[in-house]
Amino acid sequence: LSDYEGIRSNIACKLIHAASNEAILKDVPYIPWMDLAIVFYLCIHEDDTGLMTAMIHNSHLRIWNISLEDLKTSALSNSPRLFPPVISSMACIIEEMNRGLNPHFQETHPKPETPAPFYVLSNRSGINGAACILYEDVLKNFADGVEKNLIILPSSIHEVLLLDLSEPVHFSELNKMIQMINRAEVPREDRLSNHVYLYSRTSDRITIPA
C-alpha cells in the first residue's frame, strides 16, 4: 500500500450520504457533492464470489504524498474502466426475476402494454454503482436518447433509478416515497439520500429540485 504508482490504477470512488457518515468522514479524504460525499477506495480483488476493497484514509495521502485532487483525478479516471456503467429497464429486470422463479412465466404473463417507466443505473458488479452518475456523459447520453430531463431516485449506494421527466412531478411526494422505502427496505449503511435529484440536458448538471 505504500507504493502509490503500483496501486494507482485500482483506486475508485463511491458516493455516501454526508450527514449520516460524519464519523467516517473525519478519517477519510472526501469531496462534498450536493448532500453526499465522494469517498475513495482501493479495489484489491474481484471474482465470482464478490469484491474485496479497502477504504482510503487520510494517512494514505500522507504516505503517498499526493493531494486530494490527485486522488480524485485517479478515481474518476479508473472507476468507469474498473466498474463500467450499466443501465437496465425495470421492466426487463422484473421479467428476468420472474422468469428465474417460474420458467413458464412468459407463457402465463404476457408483456404489459405500459412497461415500467424506471431504469436502473449501476455498474457491472452491482456494488457502489450509484457513483455512475459521476461518470462523464453517462446521464447525458441517456437523457439525449430519451430526449428528456431526468429524475434520479437514490435507491441505495449501489444503484439509482432514472425516470424521464415527461410530465409535471410533485417532488415532495417522491421524496416522501424515498424516505419511506429507506426506512423500510434499505439497510442503514446502504442508504444514499432521502430526496430526488434532477438532471438537466441543457446544462448537463445535477441539482436538488426545490
Side-chain angles (χ1 to χ4, degrees):
L1 287 177
S2 61
D3 178 16
Y4 177 63
E5 291 303 321
I7 53 90
R8 181 177 185 174
S9 61
N10 287 327
I11 291 174
C13 62
K14 66 179 181 178
L15 283 170
I16 61 174
H17 189 252
S20 302
N21 291 280
E22 288 182 344
I24 294 174
L25 294 179
K26 289 179 181 177
D27 195 38
V28 302
Y30 72 95
I31 295 173
W33 191 85
M34 309 281 199
D35 60 327
L36 308 177
I38 306 172
V39 296
F40 307 91
Y41 64 96
L42 184 62
C43 178
I44 298 174
H45 180 69
E46 183 179 15
D47 58 25
D48 294 340
T49 63
L51 176 66
M52 183 184 295
T53 66
M55 183 74 88
I56 292 174
H57 292 256
N58 292 324
S59 58
H60 292 117
L61 266 65
R62 292 191 291 270
I63 293 170
W64 297 333
N65 193 28
I66 63 169
S67 68
L68 178 58
E69 190 62 30
D70 293 332
L71 188 65
K72 174 189 173 185
T73 300
S74 293
L76 290 180
S77 172
N78 295 334
S79 293
R81 171 181 54 81
L82 294 170
F83 305 104
V86 176
I87 298 179
S88 308
S89 74
M90 184 65 82
C92 289
I93 292 173
I94 293 172
E95 185 177 322
E96 287 298 321
M97 288 174 59
N98 286 322
R99 187 181 291 114
L101 294 171
N102 178 8
H104 304 292
F105 176 80
Q106 196 63 47
E107 302 169 14
T108 56
H109 295 73
K111 286 187 177 181
E113 293 182 8
T114 305
F118 292 104
Y119 289 80
V120 179
L121 169 60
S122 185
N123 58 37
R124 200 157 57 192
S125 72
I127 300 172
N128 301 325
C132 290
I133 63 177
L134 303 173
Y135 294 3
E136 186 177 6
D137 291 339
V138 168
L139 292 177
K140 183 179 187 305
N141 291 341
F142 183 76
D144 286 345
V146 297
E147 299 184 340
K148 297 284 191 308
N149 293 333
L150 303 175
I151 299 172
I152 304 169
L153 291 87
S155 177
S156 75
I157 64 171
H158 303 299
E159 63 187 22
V160 297
L161 303 182
L162 305 179
L163 176 66
D164 64 72
L165 190 54
S166 302
E167 300 176 1
V169 170
H170 295 288
F171 291 112
S172 60
E173 293 301 316
L174 283 177
N175 291 341
K176 288 178 183 176
M177 180 188 74
I178 291 170
Q179 292 163 19
M180 181 180 67
I181 293 173
N182 274 341
R183 286 194 299 267
E185 304 291 341
V186 184
R188 184 178 294 274
E189 64 272 17
D190 289 346
R191 295 175 190 172
L192 186 60
S193 183
N194 282 320
H195 59 76
V196 301
Y197 303 90
L198 186 62
Y199 172 78
S200 166
R201 291 177 66 205
T202 53
S203 64
D204 189 25
R205 290 183 61 233
I206 300 173
T207 56
I208 299 174

